[in-house]
Amino acid sequence: MSGGGEELKKGPWTPAEDAILVEHVRRHGEGNWNAVRRHSRLARCGKSCRLRWANHLRPNLKKGSFSADEELVILRLHAQLGNKWARIATQLPGRTDNEIKNYWNTRLKRRQRAGLPIYPPELQEAVRFDRHHQQQHQAPISPRPLTPPPLLNPVAFHPPPPISLPPLPQNPFACQLGFGFLISPLAPPPTPTSLFQQQQQHQIGPPPPAFAVETELPSCQSFSGLIGGDNGQSSSGLLESLLQGTGVAEDMRIGELLALQAADEQGARWTQVFVDDGDEGIKEASQCCSLGSATNLDRHRGTEIKCEPPGGGSPMKGDTSTLLDVQALTMSLLLKGDASLPITSADEDCDISSWPWSNMPGIR
DNA sequence: AATGCTATCAACCGCCGATGA
DNA sequence: TTCATCGGCGGTTGATAGCAT
């Protein structure tokens, strides 16, 4: 660091310092934060300037408590991504990663103290489903190279032909965990209106989502990356076992399922697409459990149980596998909603709230 | 009114990846 | 190729406010 020898100030920012920083950004734009000190009298390090600007001074910041919708988005995305605050923040305009992180940590602490699961029990059911599914389908881990599921591989994916379906009642749970903005922030989540229009054209629920997968974020977390880059060999976890277990047909299902996620509010309709494929677990998918709102999500109570994560082994170990586990978990949740699955004794000891959600390994 | 607890917010710290010399 | 620098991210901590006892 080129010091300059001056003592750098720490602690709360004063209005005068804010004004200097704002003026600097107005003149020179964002970035080059270490230059702030050179160009102005501000005795703050570049990091501190960046943080102050990003969290408090930049325009269009939204202050105040989170709305119910925002809370729901956080819940969804955290279930999906873990502690990826910056990524979550990209889906909440005007909110900062710091804000979201603070909110989540508070929520986490509150629920832990209350003895509540971090996620609603429906997610825990999904764990059981995954374990069951793995026992049913999991061949010994084969070294066969993993092919990214079609939707995760924009080149390979071809959307399924339109299927005409009778209208179904909405699937509230798919709505709640729809991840409608998963694929790319460049493609805004479908609105009920846009979906309706597209259905009118195609007589099917959601369209294939935009496949701007690689453009999602500057970090390494595009889906193709999650699957293990070009050959996917580094991936592991539930998704991998799902893929390896049943091959291409399963790949397509997962691809379609991700489309389902992108479909958000039309999840039930797409769930129905899978009902006829002979999978008992999926047959009942159209009976997905009903949840009304984020508040309801919180209101559900799980039983005090504990378990190892799906796939066994140490809880949530590893980077990519962690994310994939969560991804597969939430995917299967959308498919399932099935209380009739056989529950093994091990299954009964399943409580994802005992996993280290709050300390998930980073994927940078 | 005093005290303790909890929630919230703001900021710092350390690590890591990207970039350029 | 190596090294220094920068910026971004997630974890953590300290200060303060609000509430209950």
mmCIF file of all heavy atoms in Angstrom, chain A residues 90-108:
data_model
loop_
_atom_site.group_PDB
_atom_site.id
_atom_site.type_symbol
_atom_site.label_atom_id
_atom_site.label_comp_id
_atom_site.label_asym_id
_atom_site.label_seq_id
_atom_site.Cartn_x
_atom_site.Cartn_y
_atom_site.Cartn_z
ATOM 1 N N THR A 90 -27.916 -8.501 -5.282
ATOM 2 C CA THR A 90 -28.171 -8.127 -6.675
ATOM 3 C C THR A 90 -29.634 -8.318 -7.051
ATOM 4 O O THR A 90 -30.099 -7.751 -8.031
ATOM 5 C CB THR A 90 -27.305 -8.949 -7.641
ATOM 6 O OG1 THR A 90 -27.679 -10.330 -7.544
ATOM 7 C CG2 THR A 90 -25.825 -8.803 -7.320
ATOM 8 N N GLN A 91 -30.340 -9.115 -6.283
ATOM 9 C CA GLN A 91 -31.753 -9.344 -6.582
ATOM 10 C C GLN A 91 -32.664 -8.426 -5.784
ATOM 11 O O GLN A 91 -33.881 -8.520 -5.890
ATOM 12 C CB GLN A 91 -32.121 -10.810 -6.295
ATOM 13 C CG GLN A 91 -31.249 -11.799 -7.016
ATOM 14 C CD GLN A 91 -31.383 -11.690 -8.533
ATOM 15 O OE1 GLN A 91 -32.384 -11.185 -9.038
ATOM 16 N NE2 GLN A 91 -30.375 -12.146 -9.262
ATOM 17 N N LEU A 92 -32.066 -7.609 -4.960
ATOM 18 C CA LEU A 92 -32.863 -6.685 -4.154
ATOM 19 C C LEU A 92 -32.366 -5.270 -4.412
ATOM 20 O O LEU A 92 -31.506 -4.768 -3.684
ATOM 21 C CB LEU A 92 -32.741 -7.039 -2.671
ATOM 22 C CG LEU A 92 -33.377 -8.358 -2.263
ATOM 23 C CD1 LEU A 92 -32.950 -8.751 -0.859
ATOM 24 C CD2 LEU A 92 -34.886 -8.276 -2.340
ATOM 25 N N PRO A 93 -32.900 -4.643 -5.400
ATOM 26 C CA PRO A 93 -32.430 -3.307 -5.769
ATOM 27 C C PRO A 93 -32.504 -2.354 -4.593
ATOM 28 O O PRO A 93 -33.502 -2.299 -3.877
ATOM 29 C CB PRO A 93 -33.405 -2.899 -6.881
ATOM 30 C CG PRO A 93 -33.956 -4.169 -7.411
ATOM 31 C CD PRO A 93 -33.978 -5.127 -6.262
ATOM 32 N N GLY A 94 -31.463 -1.608 -4.416
ATOM 33 C CA GLY A 94 -31.442 -0.622 -3.343
ATOM 34 C C GLY A 94 -31.010 -1.174 -2.004
ATOM 35 O O GLY A 94 -30.860 -0.432 -1.050
ATOM 36 N N ARG A 95 -30.820 -2.464 -1.960
ATOM 37 C CA ARG A 95 -30.375 -3.075 -0.702
ATOM 38 C C ARG A 95 -28.911 -3.473 -0.817
ATOM 39 O O ARG A 95 -28.440 -3.884 -1.865
ATOM 40 C CB ARG A 95 -31.212 -4.315 -0.385
ATOM 41 C CG ARG A 95 -32.686 -4.027 -0.201
ATOM 42 C CD ARG A 95 -32.926 -3.142 1.004
ATOM 43 N NE ARG A 95 -34.341 -3.024 1.334
ATOM 44 C CZ ARG A 95 -34.806 -2.329 2.360
ATOM 45 N NH1 ARG A 95 -33.970 -1.684 3.157
ATOM 46 N NH2 ARG A 95 -36.096 -2.263 2.600
ATOM 47 N N THR A 96 -28.237 -3.398 0.295
ATOM 48 C CA THR A 96 -26.815 -3.732 0.292
ATOM 49 C C THR A 96 -26.587 -5.110 0.901
ATOM 50 O O THR A 96 -27.412 -5.612 1.674
ATOM 51 C CB THR A 96 -26.013 -2.702 1.104
ATOM 52 O OG1 THR A 96 -26.347 -2.847 2.486
ATOM 53 C CG2 THR A 96 -26.341 -1.297 0.649
ATOM 54 N N ASP A 97 -25.474 -5.669 0.530
ATOM 55 C CA ASP A 97 -25.143 -6.976 1.086
ATOM 56 C C ASP A 97 -25.027 -6.902 2.607
ATOM 57 O O ASP A 97 -25.427 -7.821 3.314
ATOM 58 C CB ASP A 97 -23.850 -7.514 0.466
ATOM 59 C CG ASP A 97 -22.704 -6.541 0.567
ATOM 60 O OD1 ASP A 97 -22.918 -5.404 1.020
ATOM 61 O OD2 ASP A 97 -21.583 -6.904 0.205
ATOM 62 N N ASN A 98 -24.517 -5.792 3.071
ATOM 63 C CA ASN A 98 -24.364 -5.644 4.515
ATOM 64 C C ASN A 98 -25.719 -5.651 5.220
ATOM 65 O O ASN A 98 -25.889 -6.275 6.265
ATOM 66 C CB ASN A 98 -23.624 -4.343 4.820
ATOM 67 C CG ASN A 98 -22.857 -4.407 6.128
ATOM 68 O OD1 ASN A 98 -22.312 -5.459 6.479
ATOM 69 N ND2 ASN A 98 -22.813 -3.303 6.838
ATOM 70 N N GLU A 99 -26.649 -4.961 4.631
ATOM 71 C CA GLU A 99 -27.994 -4.907 5.186
ATOM 72 C C GLU A 99 -28.606 -6.307 5.246
ATOM 73 O O GLU A 99 -29.199 -6.714 6.246
ATOM 74 C CB GLU A 99 -28.859 -4.018 4.279
ATOM 75 C CG GLU A 99 -29.607 -2.929 4.968
ATOM 76 C CD GLU A 99 -30.371 -2.089 3.958
ATOM 77 O OE1 GLU A 99 -29.998 -2.084 2.773
ATOM 78 O OE2 GLU A 99 -31.342 -1.449 4.367
ATOM 79 N N ILE A 100 -28.474 -7.008 4.152
ATOM 80 C CA ILE A 100 -29.058 -8.341 4.077
ATOM 81 C C ILE A 100 -28.372 -9.274 5.064
ATOM 82 O O ILE A 100 -29.014 -10.080 5.737
ATOM 83 C CB ILE A 100 -28.946 -8.881 2.643
ATOM 84 C CG1 ILE A 100 -29.787 -8.008 1.707
ATOM 85 C CG2 ILE A 100 -29.374 -10.326 2.568
ATOM 86 C CD1 ILE A 100 -29.511 -8.245 0.244
ATOM 87 N N LYS A 101 -27.096 -9.140 5.141
ATOM 88 C CA LYS A 101 -26.336 -9.968 6.081
ATOM 89 C C LYS A 101 -26.778 -9.687 7.519
ATOM 90 O O LYS A 101 -27.006 -10.609 8.310
ATOM 91 C CB LYS A 101 -24.845 -9.672 5.903
ATOM 92 C CG LYS A 101 -23.924 -10.447 6.794
ATOM 93 C CD LYS A 101 -22.488 -10.264 6.357
ATOM 94 C CE LYS A 101 -22.085 -8.821 6.319
ATOM 95 N NZ LYS A 101 -20.691 -8.624 5.868
ATOM 96 N N ASN A 102 -26.927 -8.431 7.845
ATOM 97 C CA ASN A 102 -27.386 -8.093 9.184
ATOM 98 C C ASN A 102 -28.778 -8.653 9.448
ATOM 99 O O ASN A 102 -29.047 -9.190 10.521
ATOM 100 C CB ASN A 102 -27.395 -6.576 9.370
ATOM 101 C CG ASN A 102 -26.008 -6.023 9.588
ATOM 102 O OD1 ASN A 102 -25.115 -6.718 10.053
ATOM 103 N ND2 ASN A 102 -25.818 -4.768 9.237
ATOM 104 N N TYR A 103 -29.618 -8.492 8.469
ATOM 105 C CA TYR A 103 -30.977 -9.010 8.623
ATOM 106 C C TYR A 103 -30.947 -10.514 8.860
ATOM 107 O O TYR A 103 -31.616 -11.038 9.758
ATOM 108 C CB TYR A 103 -31.805 -8.689 7.379
ATOM 109 C CG TYR A 103 -33.075 -9.511 7.298
ATOM 110 C CD1 TYR A 103 -34.178 -9.191 8.079
ATOM 111 C CD2 TYR A 103 -33.149 -10.627 6.469
ATOM 112 C CE1 TYR A 103 -35.331 -9.947 8.023
ATOM 113 C CE2 TYR A 103 -34.294 -11.391 6.402
ATOM 114 C CZ TYR A 103 -35.384 -11.058 7.177
ATOM 115 O OH TYR A 103 -36.517 -11.824 7.121
ATOM 116 N N TRP A 104 -30.175 -11.199 8.053
ATOM 117 C CA TRP A 104 -30.168 -12.653 8.166
ATOM 118 C C TRP A 104 -29.582 -13.106 9.501
ATOM 119 O O TRP A 104 -30.104 -14.020 10.148
ATOM 120 C CB TRP A 104 -29.367 -13.283 7.025
ATOM 121 C CG TRP A 104 -29.417 -14.765 7.098
ATOM 122 C CD1 TRP A 104 -28.505 -15.601 7.659
ATOM 123 C CD2 TRP A 104 -30.484 -15.602 6.633
ATOM 124 N NE1 TRP A 104 -28.921 -16.896 7.568
ATOM 125 C CE2 TRP A 104 -30.128 -16.924 6.943
ATOM 126 C CE3 TRP A 104 -31.688 -15.356 5.986
ATOM 127 C CZ2 TRP A 104 -30.960 -18.004 6.626
ATOM 128 C CZ3 TRP A 104 -32.506 -16.425 5.678
ATOM 129 C CH2 TRP A 104 -32.129 -17.728 6.002
ATOM 130 N N ASN A 105 -28.529 -12.464 9.902
ATOM 131 C CA ASN A 105 -27.907 -12.870 11.161
ATOM 132 C C ASN A 105 -28.854 -12.642 12.341
ATOM 133 O O ASN A 105 -28.902 -13.450 13.266
ATOM 134 C CB ASN A 105 -26.596 -12.107 11.366
ATOM 135 C CG ASN A 105 -25.507 -12.603 10.450
ATOM 136 O OD1 ASN A 105 -25.544 -13.733 9.969
ATOM 137 N ND2 ASN A 105 -24.521 -11.766 10.178
ATOM 138 N N THR A 106 -29.578 -11.555 12.266
ATOM 139 C CA THR A 106 -30.558 -11.298 13.318
ATOM 140 C C THR A 106 -31.638 -12.368 13.320
ATOM 141 O O THR A 106 -32.016 -12.913 14.357
ATOM 142 C CB THR A 106 -31.197 -9.907 13.105
ATOM 143 O OG1 THR A 106 -30.174 -8.928 13.185
ATOM 144 C CG2 THR A 106 -32.243 -9.642 14.157
ATOM 145 N N ARG A 107 -32.133 -12.646 12.123
ATOM 146 C CA ARG A 107 -33.178 -13.653 11.994
ATOM 147 C C ARG A 107 -32.678 -15.009 12.482
ATOM 148 O O ARG A 107 -33.372 -15.743 13.189
ATOM 149 C CB ARG A 107 -33.618 -13.753 10.542
ATOM 150 C CG ARG A 107 -34.659 -14.804 10.274
ATOM 151 C CD ARG A 107 -34.942 -14.870 8.777
ATOM 152 N NE ARG A 107 -36.007 -15.824 8.487
ATOM 153 C CZ ARG A 107 -35.822 -17.119 8.374
ATOM 154 N NH1 ARG A 107 -34.609 -17.623 8.537
ATOM 155 N NH2 ARG A 107 -36.839 -17.931 8.128
ATOM 156 N N LEU A 108 -31.469 -15.320 12.090
ATOM 157 C CA LEU A 108 -30.878 -16.595 12.460
ATOM 158 C C LEU A 108 -30.792 -16.732 13.976
ATOM 159 O O LEU A 108 -31.181 -17.744 14.562
ATOM 160 C CB LEU A 108 -29.483 -16.697 11.833
ATOM 161 C CG LEU A 108 -28.737 -17.998 12.020
ATOM 162 C CD1 LEU A 108 -29.421 -19.090 11.200
ATOM 163 C CD2 LEU A 108 -27.295 -17.849 11.565
#
